[in-house]
Amino acid sequence: MLARLSRSLIPAAKCAVSLSSALESLCQPTASIPGSCRSDPGAVYSGLVAPCLKATTSILVSSTSSSPSFRAVSVGFHDHPNLVIPDYFTGLGYILSVQAHGSQTLLQRIKLLALYAKICKLSAPLVQSRPPTTVQTLWVNSPHVADTRVVLGSSLAWLKVRSHFQMARAVRAGILRDLWAGALIDPTPMQVCFPNPEGGLFGTCWGDCAEAISISACWKLVASGVPLRTLAVNVAAMNAVDLVTGLSACDVILASTSLREMVGELLRANAFRPMCKNCEHLRESIAANIVDCATSDFWLELGLVTAPTSHSLLPHVCDDVFERTSSGKRISCAV
């Protein structure tokens, strides 16, 4: 699956026509995930992704009337029967999510996330947008629940037209409010921690981050307390090219066959992005059993990282590369 997606999308992602054609082929009924609503991927492609590529915008806004109207596509996405897909990058994540079916290893999930980060970066100029700051994946991690679905989501990419950005964020915030109105508070935990009298836009309000899509897409699992795992990475860090090797973290991860090597690359690129205070508040308020894989505890448990005082077997990669998580812990590559 990953090899097929990579071969199809990476070469096409620099040209709107080629990317549109590649995505259209993925959304054909015969290419969709078995058992899914076969019309939904096509609806996201034809109703949002293709028009965004044609109009060179990441958010569709109709200005035929006196007041602009926001255009989005609603589809059945995993547990959610009518989830709103409001922008190009979310639509791209949806299309990639429904391609991933069957049992997947952690290595394969990280590769899929890296592919998403790379396609977001490559295709951002095609929709005249900055790429999202972060991309995230959510999946089930319970031996008692045979659910192999994944969700890919992105933070909301900034638009020069501020009102359009606000419209898209309001839609994403509405998705959360419909399910967990009591958990959303004003001011948000991020606004309390980092007050900005001029009004901040990034990481402050509900709807900016990918949790609006990922947690809502699996809301039944969340509500029933099924153990879930999530991992978010920084798109710019994932796509920064190493001047020595000429490769980005995405390139290395997509070519890797070793989970240890992947973790080392993510550390070296400083790509891990732990949950912000808004996400942590939402998780605690709705009693969600979601483990953040961008923190040290997860990788320590797997034996893939150690305390920074330990000597690393990969000194040229990791001796002086640590990730400071939201809990203040620092980690390095494991011995």
Side-chain angles (χ1 to χ4, degrees), residues 118-138:
K118 188 173 183 68
I119 301 302
C120 281
K121 174 69 173 179
L122 289 175
S123 63
L126 304 182
V127 291
Q128 292 188 353
S129 170
R130 295 177 184 175
T133 305
T134 61
V135 290
Q136 177 224 31
T137 183
L138 183 78

Side-chain angles (χ1 to χ4, degrees), residues 7-32:
R7 286 195 304 268
S8 174
L9 295 180
I10 291 177
K14 295 182 180 180
C15 169
V17 174
S18 299
L19 181 59
S20 182
S21 177
L23 292 172
E24 182 179 21
S25 67
L26 292 176
C27 293
Q28 294 297 323
T30 55
S32 300

Side-chain angles (χ1 to χ4, degrees), residues 32-72:
S32 300
I33 176 173
S36 70
C37 180
R38 293 185 178 276
S39 63
D40 283 347
V44 172
Y45 170 77
S46 61
L48 181 67
V49 173
C52 281
L53 289 170
K54 185 176 181 180
T56 62
T57 179
S58 62
I59 293 177
L60 294 176
V61 177
S62 174
S63 55
T64 53
S65 59
S66 56
S67 58
S69 59
F70 184 80
R71 295 168 55 193

Side-chain angles (χ1 to χ4, degrees), residues 141-223:
N141 191 62
S142 171
H144 309 295
V145 180
D147 194 327
T148 59
R149 299 174 299 176
V150 298
V151 183
L152 293 171
S154 75
S155 59
L156 191 56
W158 168 245
L159 285 176
K160 290 182 179 179
V161 184
R162 181 182 175 125
S163 62
H164 293 178
F165 179 92
Q166 300 284 28
M167 291 166 70
R169 181 167 64 186
V171 169
R172 287 169 64 143
I175 295 170
L176 289 178
R177 190 171 290 108
D178 288 343
L179 295 173
W180 294 291
L184 276 65
I185 59 176
D186 185 26
T188 72
M190 286 292 283
Q191 287 172 325
V192 171
C193 249
F194 307 104
N196 182 352
E198 298 179 0
L201 287 175
F202 290 100
T204 59
C205 297
W206 306 113
D208 282 7
C209 299
E211 86 282 345
I213 299 298
S214 61
I215 294 180
S216 297
C218 289
W219 71 271
K220 289 183 179 178
L221 294 172
V222 170

Side-chain angles (χ1 to χ4, degrees), residues 13 86 283 323:
R283 177 184 61 182
E323 174 71 10

Side-chain angles (χ1 to χ4, degrees), residues 228-232 272-276 280 283 290-299 325-326:
L228 301 171
R229 300 291 181 266
T230 185
L231 175 64
F272 284 121
R273 287 300 176 267
M275 285 183 176
C276 73
E280 289 178 344
R283 177 184 61 182
I290 301 176
V291 172
D292 183 7
C293 299
T295 61
S296 59
D297 289 344
F298 179 80
W299 302 106
T325 70
S326 57

